[in-house]
Amino acid sequence: MAVNAPYGYIKGEDGHLLVDEETAPVVELIFQLCVEGNGPGKIARMLKEREIPTPGTITFQRTGQTSRYFPDDPCRWNPATVLSILGQDAYLGRTTNFKTTKLSYKSKKTVINSPDKWAVFEGTHEAIIDKETWEIVQKSREHRRRPTKMGEMGLFSGLAYCADCGAKLYHHRSITLTKEQESYICSNYQSRKKCTAHYIRAVVLEQLVLQNLQRVVAYDQEDENEFVRRVMENKTAVQRAEQEQAKRKLEKQERRISELDRIIQQLYEDRVSGALSAERFAKLSGGYEKEQEELKQSAKELQAIVNTIETQAVNVQSFLKIVRKYTAPTELTPALLREFVEKIVVHAPDKSSGHRTQRIDVHYNFIGEIDFSPEYSQVSRQTTA
């Protein structure tokens, strides 16, 4: 158990964490503001504008400790504090030990352990944040967005990707452009011309994503059992394809590792017999051993992928919980978008029909991409000119 209770909790007489009625709503607010697409800096400013005391101020008011208290500005939130709260998994109702360690008993330096070395205990206290909100926020933190030169965030910044090179799409906006003219283009094209533009107007992308989302919500509400069956069927097919690809690559690498064993063994025999000089032996064996070591590491990672896919379950219920919050979405707000969408893949425009059409693939949180039928998929391909 931690020495100090995380912000949002207080310690009970038995040492267990109890929800702090004063600060827990602030934790919920911070997570909600992040879901809505706000970064740590903006959230810190919003908390100050609402005159919410900082954790340091609360500690001073309760204990008199002044280490993190600024009497001239008791509501001045630091973005680093917000970021720390957003990454605190104690809000899920769990206790995680061994996140850090010291290099030795002689050293005071602390290093961060990898997650596989953590000890996680679920249900040790009451949760403040639900699992769905937590996962959406963590994904949002992984895809941090930068504001435009005008200081604003694009609705799809950090969510839209190029279908061909995988790079993020750049939000193009300036004072001289109207809202109708704002667009997204491939960042690899923007910076190095190493891809095509994949140009799509922001209003068109918003329309396509909203229509896609409306179809998904309507499909679930019409027949939830059929929706779940289709999602599971689609996800299983995707996982099976990924698994087969990983297995083929793994088998190829394992054959090469065995081949390198034979090559290295032959080099040793040639060295012993005098057919190979010491210098030549060192150069050749060093190169082969390095390749073999890299292949072994890669094979280990591929095996982990295969094992993960075999045991992975689709968390459809988490997605359904989000769907039930909305009856018929009519507007694509930042909060709605972040709750539902993991990423959007934008394809290059197609002019072969004489009209400019463009396809997008919407990947949803917890369930991935949904493609039920040819009729359904038409919503993701429309005239965009």
Side-chain angles (χ1 to χ4, degrees):
M1 191 71 68
V3 175
N4 297 313
Y7 179 77
Y9 289 102
I10 56 175
K11 277 199 172 184
E13 293 181 0
D14 59 357
H16 285 81
L17 296 180
L18 303 174
V19 172
D20 182 354
E21 300 299 330
E22 180 180 3
T23 59
V26 181
V27 172
E28 294 176 313
L29 173 63
I30 290 171
F31 273 81
Q32 183 57 38
L33 291 174
C34 184
V35 167
E36 292 172 3
N38 300 293
K42 187 173 181 180
I43 293 174
R45 292 193 296 273
M46 295 169 81
L47 295 175
K48 180 177 179 178
E49 289 169 1
R50 299 185 188 197
E51 298 184 347
I52 296 175
T54 67
T57 300
I58 294 294
T59 300
F60 169 75
Q61 291 172 348
R62 295 177 178 178
T63 68
Q65 294 180 13
T66 60
S67 59
R68 295 182 298 149
Y69 173 57
F70 300 92
D72 295 333
D73 204 350
C75 299
R76 185 183 70 186
W77 281 77
N78 190 316
T81 302
V82 174
L83 195 61
S84 175
I85 288 173
L86 292 172
Q88 177 61 266
D89 65 348
Y91 299 127
L92 289 168
R94 68 166 62 142
T95 298
T96 304
N97 295 331
F98 308 117
K99 282 188 175 182
T100 61
T101 188
K102 290 186 177 180
L103 295 175
S104 73
Y105 70 93
K106 295 181 180 179
S107 173
K108 293 184 178 180
K109 187 175 181 180
T110 300
V111 296
I112 299 175
N113 285 329
S114 57
D116 61 305
K117 294 182 179 179
W118 296 355
V120 180
F121 304 92
E122 301 287 352
T124 56
H125 50 273
E126 184 180 347
I128 295 176
I129 303 299
D130 61 73
K131 185 179 178 182
E132 292 74 31
T133 300
W134 167 264
E135 293 192 11
I136 291 168
V137 165
Q138 302 320 304
K139 287 177 182 176
S140 176
R141 291 175 63 214
E142 289 174 7
H143 306 291
R144 293 180 187 174
R145 305 175 298 158
R146 293 183 179 180
T148 63
K149 292 180 180 179
M150 300 172 67
E152 298 180 6
M153 290 285 192
L155 181 62
F156 301 101
S157 295
L159 287 178
Y161 292 82
C162 172
D164 293 316
C165 72
K168 290 181 180 180
L169 295 193
Y170 168 79
H171 181 211
H172 180 60
R173 171 187 172 130
S174 70
I175 298 175
T176 59
L177 296 178
T178 65
K179 184 173 178 59
E180 289 287 321
Q181 293 173 317
E182 290 179 30
S183 63
Y184 287 86
I185 60 175
C186 174
S187 57
N188 268 338
Y189 172 81
Q190 172 76 12
S191 59
R192 299 187 292 273
K193 300 295 186 290
K194 288 190 175 182
C195 191
T196 56
H198 291 71
Y199 170 92
I200 186 168
R201 287 189 296 133
V203 290
V204 172
L205 183 57
E206 184 173 343
Q207 178 189 17
L208 290 176
V209 173
L210 179 59
Q211 289 178 351
N212 193 301
L213 176 59
Q214 287 171 334
R215 289 289 183 93
V216 171
V217 172
Y219 191 102
D220 169 65
Q221 292 173 345
E222 288 169 8
D223 190 340
E224 186 172 289
N225 291 333
E226 174 65 10
F227 177 85
V228 172
R229 188 189 70 79
R230 288 279 188 167
V231 168
M232 294 295 292
E233 187 179 88
N234 289 348
K235 194 67 175 178
T236 299
V238 171
Q239 289 176 344
R240 190 180 297 117
E242 291 175 349
Q243 184 181 37
E244 289 303 317
Q245 183 181 12
K247 279 184 176 179
R248 287 195 297 271
K249 191 172 181 180
L250 179 60
E251 289 169 358
K252 182 179 179 181
Q253 291 188 352
E254 287 176 339
R255 287 196 299 272
R256 178 57 177 166
I257 290 171
S258 297
E259 181 184 355
L260 288 170
D261 276 333
R262 292 192 294 272
I263 292 173
I264 293 170
Q265 179 62 33
Q266 186 61 52
L267 286 176
Y268 275 105
E269 292 175 1
D270 289 346
R271 175 70 189 101
V272 171
S273 66
L276 199 63
S277 68
E279 182 181 354
R280 185 66 175 162
F281 169 77
K283 184 175 181 180
L284 289 173
S285 63
Y288 285 129
E289 286 172 353
K290 181 182 178 182
E291 180 187 356
Q292 190 178 52
E293 193 59 38
E294 290 173 350
L295 283 171
K296 285 181 178 178
Q297 180 59 36
S298 178
K300 183 179 178 181
E301 293 169 359
L302 282 171
Q303 186 63 59
I305 291 173
V306 171
N307 295 340
T308 299
I309 292 172
E310 288 177 342
T311 59
Q312 185 177 8
V314 183
N315 196 349
V316 184
Q317 293 304 317
S318 293
F319 184 77
L320 296 180
K321 281 181 66 176
I322 299 173
V323 172
R324 291 174 190 134
K325 292 169 61 177
Y326 303 92
T327 52
T330 58
E331 181 186 2
L332 201 62
T333 64
L336 182 72
L337 182 65
R338 299 282 160 173
E339 277 199 270
F340 275 101
V341 177
E342 178 183 1
K343 68 176 179 178
I344 302 156
V345 178
V346 178
H347 293 255
D350 180 5
K351 302 179 183 178
S352 59
S353 65
H355 298 280
R356 187 183 190 277
T357 62
Q358 200 158 4
R359 172 186 164 190
I360 65 165
D361 301 327
V362 182
H363 296 252
Y364 290 93
N365 290 320
F366 307 110
I367 61 173
E369 186 182 3
I370 305 175
D371 185 15
F372 297 121
S373 65
E375 178 185 357
Y376 174 86
S377 63
Q378 288 300 312
V379 75
S380 296
R381 183 189 290 272
Q382 292 190 0
T383 301
T384 58

